[in-house]
Amino acid sequence: MLNFNAAPLKNTAAEPVWKVLIYDRFGQDIISPLLSVKELRDMGITLHLLLHSDRDPIPDVPAVYFVMPTEENIDRICQDLRNQLYESYFLNFISAISRSKLEDVASAALAANAVAQVTKVSVSINRADIQDTDMEAIMDTIVDSLFCFFVTLGAVPIIRCPRGNAAEMVAVKLDKKLRENLRDARNSLFTGENMAAGQFSFQRPLFVLADRNVDMATPLHHTWTYQALIHDVLDYELNRVVMEEGAGPEPSPAGARPKKKNRKTYDLTAADKFWQKHKGSPFPEVAESVQEELDTYRAQEDEVKRLKCIMGLEGEDEGAISMLSDNTAKLTSAVSSLPELLEKKRLIDLHTNVATAVLNHIKSRKLDVYFEYEEKLMSKSTLDKSLLDIISDPDAGTPEDKMRLFLIYYITAQQAPSESDLEQYKTALLDAGCDLSPLNYIKQWKAFTKMAATPANYGNSGVKPMGLFSRVMNSGSQLVMEGVKNLVLKQHVSKETDDYRYFDPKMLRGIAVFQAIVFVVGGGNYIEYQNLVDYAKVLQYCEYYCEYYCKLLPVFCVQLLRNVSHPPHIRHYEGKQLCFLSLFHVR
C-alpha cells in the first residue's frame, strides 16, 4: 500500500518516492503498532496526518489514503479533491466501499477535473468492530471484511469450518461471495494485478473458521504467559504499556495535596529481542530470564571497568606494559560494542519495570492461585480448596477475578449446580462486590446452546506445580517471586476436525497448502494465539526433518542396493531407513 499498491523492490539503493500518508483513527490504530516513524520515513513517507486535521496543500507530492469508507471520510476526501491538495491520490479503504460512495468520489473527482489524479482505489485489510444486534447484518459484515482480506492477500482460500453454528453461516456466505466474484472473469478481483501481491495460485491458504460459542471458558481464564498477563493487568494497547508510578516513597503530610503520579510509557516492539523471545513464555521463566540478562550485562560492564583500570596503569613495569598491550584490543572491542550494551541495559530496565508491575498484581490478587484453580476446573482435576472459600476470601483478587473464576466453574461443570448451591454462590459473589449480569448471560447462553449436558472438552491439560521459584528468590534478584507458584503450562487437547465442512470456491482438490489462516467468529485471545504459535513451531520442526531425511534417503537406498553384503556402516542405517519411509508415508 505504501509503495502505491506495488510489490516493493528488494536490495535496491534507489530512493523511494516521497509521499504523504493520510489516515483516520482506525487506520492510525492499525499502522502505529506495525511501523515506527523511522520505518515510515524509509518507505518514503515524509508526513503522516489525520484525515480530518487542517492540512496545507502540497501539490507536487502524491498522497496515500488509508481510511474507513464512512460518510464523513468520503466527504472529506471529496473536499481534498476539490481543493487539489496533492499531485495524485491513492485511496485505500479498510473495509469494502459501497458503489454509491464510490460514485460520490468519482463525481467529486470529475467536478474538480482530477479524474486522472485518482490513480488507485483499492480495499485493504479490515477491522470489523460490530455493534449491531441483528445476526444477519453481523454475518454480512464479517463476510465482507474477510472477503476484503483475501482480495488484499491475493489468494482464494480453501475453507474449513465446524457444523451448525455461526462459523458455518460465515463460511457458506463467504464461499458464495468468492464464487460469484470468480465467476465473472473479466471483473474478478483475483486475477491480473490483484494476484501479483499474493501467493501463486497453486499455493493457496487453508482458512479455518472457528466459533467462539464452542469454548467460552478460555477467554475468561486467568493467564500465565508474559504478554497475556501484561494485557490482563496493565494498561496495554497498540503494543504500548502505560504505567503509573508514585512520585516518591514518602507519603504526603496530613492535609497536604497528594503527590502527582508519574506516567511512564514503554513500547514493546518487534525490534525488542527479549520481548520477541519471551512474550509467550510463562511468567516465572520471564522473571528468570530478566535476571540472567541483568547478570550478563553486569558481567560485561565489570569487564569494561576492569579493562579501563588496566589501561590506566603507569610506570615501566614490564608485566604492566605486557598486560596493557594484551588488553588494548579487548578494550577497543568493548568500547565499540558500547551502544549495543546501552540498548541492552535500556531493554533490561524496561522489562524489569514491566515485570515488576505484573508481579505486584500477581501477588496482590493471588493470580497464580486463580490460574492453577481454573486449570484444574477445566481439566476436571481434583480440587484442593473450596470454590466458595476463594470467592469469600477478601484478599484473593478483585470482584472481576472472582466472577471470572465462578463463570469458568459454571461453564465447565459436568452438572449445573443445584438451585440452593447457586443461591449460596450468588450471595458470596454479591458480598464480594460482583455484578451478577455476566452470570445471567452465561446461564442463558448455556441453556440456548444446550451445553449443560455436554460441556466443552478441554482435555487433560492441567498444570504441574513446581514449588516456589527458587532461582530468583535470592536477595540479589530484581524480581522476588517469594510466595508465587512456579506453574508449568500444559497444552490443551483440541477436538478432532473430521466433521468440519469443506468449501473450495475453485472446486479444485489435492492442492498443496503452504499457509493457514484462523479466524474465530466472536473473538480470540492470547491463550489460543500462543497455542497456534507453538503448534506452528512443531510443524516447522517436522517439515525441516522431513526435508532433511528426504535428501538422505536416496543415498541410503542406493548404498543398500549396491552393498548386498550389508557392511557395518550400511547396516547401522537399516533401522533408520524404515523410519524414514514411514515418515514420508505419513507426510
Side-chain angles (χ1 to χ4, degrees):
M1 180 185 74
L2 297 179
N3 198 47
F4 306 122
N5 299 89
L9 298 176
K10 297 180 180 180
N11 302 323
T12 176
E15 283 194 357
V17 177
W18 301 110
K19 60 191 85 74
V20 177
L21 174 62
I22 310 297
Y23 44 58
D24 61 0
R25 293 292 182 186
F26 281 92
Q28 184 182 37
D29 286 350
I30 292 171
I31 290 176
S32 59
L34 302 176
L35 297 167
S36 66
V37 174
K38 180 183 181 302
E39 289 170 325
L40 289 174
R41 183 61 59 88
D42 292 340
M43 295 178 182
I45 304 296
T46 56
L47 284 174
H48 42 96
L49 304 167
L50 284 168
L51 176 64
H52 293 283
S53 62
D54 294 329
R55 291 175 281 117
D56 296 326
I58 313 178
D60 56 344
V61 172
V64 175
Y65 286 71
F66 185 54
V67 298
M68 289 287 288
T70 63
E71 197 75 39
E72 186 181 17
N73 287 351
I74 296 298
D75 290 342
R76 187 57 188 262
I77 291 172
C78 293
Q79 181 182 330
D80 289 354
L81 291 171
R82 287 191 293 269
N83 295 337
Q84 299 185 354
L85 292 187
Y86 307 110
E87 177 189 61
S88 55
Y89 303 82
F90 295 80
L91 309 180
N92 299 274
F93 294 104
I94 298 172
S95 64
I97 181 172
S98 65
R99 184 174 182 84
S100 61
K101 291 178 181 177
L102 200 57
E103 289 174 352
D104 292 342
V105 176
S107 299
L110 189 64
N113 195 26
V115 174
Q117 292 173 284
V118 182
T119 309
K120 182 78 174 179
V121 179
S122 64
V123 177
S124 191
I125 55 181
N126 71 88
R127 176 175 173 173
D129 290 334
I130 305 164
Q131 301 296 328
D132 197 343
T133 56
D134 179 43
M135 188 65 172
E136 195 68 27
I138 291 174
M139 295 298 104
D140 289 341
T141 305
I142 293 176
V143 168
D144 287 343
S145 297
L146 290 172
F147 178 80
C148 294
F149 170 78
F150 284 109
V151 170
T152 305
L153 189 65
V156 180
I158 297 169
I159 306 170
R160 298 296 306 275
C161 73
R163 299 175 184 270
N165 50 33
E168 184 181 22
M169 293 175 62
V170 172
V172 172
K173 286 177 173 286
L174 180 60
D175 178 66
K176 180 181 178 183
K177 194 175 184 70
L178 289 167
R179 287 175 186 275
E180 289 174 349
N181 189 266
L182 290 169
R183 193 176 297 123
D184 185 359
R186 295 180 60 186
N187 297 313
S188 174
L189 296 171
F190 294 94
T191 58
E193 64 177 38
N194 294 301
M195 294 297 293
Q199 304 279 344
F200 292 109
S201 59
F202 55 83
Q203 293 185 354
R204 294 167 56 199
L206 172 67
F207 180 45
V208 181
L209 268 165
D211 195 291
R212 180 74 280 151
N213 280 329
V214 172
D215 171 17
M216 290 288 279
T218 300
L220 298 167
H221 188 17
H222 284 85
T223 54
W224 199 236
T225 55
Y226 190 32
Q227 184 179 28
L229 274 169
I230 290 174
H231 179 266
D232 202 357
V233 304
L234 301 180
D235 182 4
Y236 177 54
E237 187 177 5
L238 302 178
N239 294 354
R240 178 170 292 173
V241 180
V242 180
M243 299 190 309
E244 288 189 351
E245 296 183 350
E250 300 83 8
S252 301
R257 183 177 298 176
K259 293 182 179 181
K260 186 178 180 181
K261 291 184 177 180
N262 298 323
R263 290 173 63 87
K264 282 199 171 184
T265 301
Y266 300 102
D267 291 322
L268 302 173
T269 66
D272 185 342
K273 293 181 180 179
F274 185 91
W275 174 247
Q276 290 301 306
K277 182 178 180 181
H278 294 291
K279 64 182 179 180
S281 301
F283 184 73
E285 290 183 15
V286 175
E288 257 190 330
S289 299
V290 169
Q291 187 61 40
E292 289 172 359
E293 290 284 332
L294 184 60
D295 292 342
T296 303
Y297 167 79
R298 284 173 175 169
Q300 293 174 329
E301 188 179 43
D302 291 344
E303 177 66 10
V304 172
K305 290 179 180 178
R306 188 183 69 83
L307 291 172
K308 283 182 178 179
C309 181
I310 292 173
M311 292 295 288
L313 291 174
E314 296 180 356
E316 299 180 357
D317 181 79
E318 292 184 3
I321 294 173
S322 175
M323 191 180 297
L324 179 66
S325 176
D326 293 340
N327 287 283
T328 300
K330 291 182 181 179
L331 182 61
T332 303
S333 175
V335 171
S336 64
S337 64
L338 192 58
E340 183 181 347
L341 200 62
L342 291 174
E343 174 63 12
K344 187 174 184 178
K345 179 63 166 60
R346 184 188 71 82
L347 294 177
I348 291 172
D349 290 342
L350 184 159
H351 288 287
T352 299
N353 293 337
V354 172
T356 301
V358 171
L359 181 59
N360 290 337
H361 281 276
I362 292 174
K363 288 182 175 180
S364 64
R365 292 163 56 179
K366 299 184 178 179
L367 296 183
D368 53 330
V369 175
Y370 277 92
F371 171 77
E372 183 179 17
Y373 200 92
E374 290 164 2
E375 282 281 321
K376 290 180 178 179
L377 285 173
M378 296 168 73
S379 62
K380 310 296 186 295
S381 301
T382 304
L383 303 176
D384 54 0
K385 192 174 184 180
S386 166
L387 175 62
L388 204 58
D389 290 344
I390 298 179
I391 295 175
S392 303
D393 186 353
D395 298 325
T398 64
E400 184 184 88
D401 293 328
K402 298 176 190 294
M403 177 55 72
R404 286 166 64 179
L405 174 63
F406 180 74
L407 290 179
I408 291 173
Y409 158 73
Y410 190 83
I411 292 170
T412 59
Q414 294 284 0
Q415 291 184 342
S418 64
E419 285 299 322
S420 60
D421 289 343
L422 187 59
E423 286 302 318
Q424 192 176 7
Y425 283 124
K426 283 183 176 181
T427 302
L429 289 168
L430 287 172
D431 291 343
C434 297
D435 178 9
L436 295 184
S437 55
L439 175 58
N440 297 330
Y441 172 81
I442 290 296
K443 285 176 66 178
Q444 294 177 356
W445 164 81
K446 196 165 184 178
F448 177 74
T449 56
K450 297 180 180 179
M451 290 188 65
T454 56
N457 176 25
Y458 295 92
N460 298 319
S461 59
V463 291
K464 184 180 179 182
M466 298 297 289
L468 296 180
F469 198 30
S470 58
R471 276 200 277 174
V472 290
M473 283 177 58
N474 57 78
S475 58
S477 171
Q478 295 291 312
L479 296 169
V480 180
M481 297 283 291
E482 186 172 4
V484 178
K485 293 183 179 180
N486 180 18
L487 305 172
V488 178
L489 296 172
K490 289 187 178 180
Q491 291 188 343
H492 291 266
V493 180
S494 303
K495 291 183 177 180
E496 295 296 328
T497 58
D498 294 342
D499 194 44
Y500 272 38
R501 291 193 63 182
Y502 183 100
F503 296 89
D504 188 349
K506 282 192 170 184
M507 291 300 291
L508 294 176
R509 300 294 175 127
I511 293 178
V513 175
F514 292 88
Q515 184 182 24
I517 299 160
V518 179
F519 179 84
V520 181
V521 180
N525 53 72
Y526 281 110
I527 297 174
E528 293 162 343
Y529 168 74
Q530 191 59 43
N531 284 343
L532 279 177
V533 171
D534 294 341
Y535 183 62
K537 289 179 181 177
V538 172
L539 292 181
Q540 289 173 354
Y541 179 82
C542 294
E543 182 75 13
Y544 169 78
Y545 277 99
C546 282
E547 293 178 359
Y548 175 72
Y549 292 146
C550 187
K551 295 174 182 176
L552 295 182
L553 184 61
V555 178
F556 294 138
C557 291
V558 169
Q559 287 182 341
L560 285 169
L561 287 172
R562 289 180 179 174
N563 297 272
V564 182
S565 59
H566 293 250
H569 71 282
I570 296 297
R571 189 162 55 245
H572 174 70
Y573 292 109
E574 264 189 284
K576 293 185 176 62
Q577 183 197 357
L578 297 176
C579 295
F580 300 155
L581 292 172
S582 300
L583 179 62
F584 287 114
H585 179 69
V586 171
R587 190 188 182 195

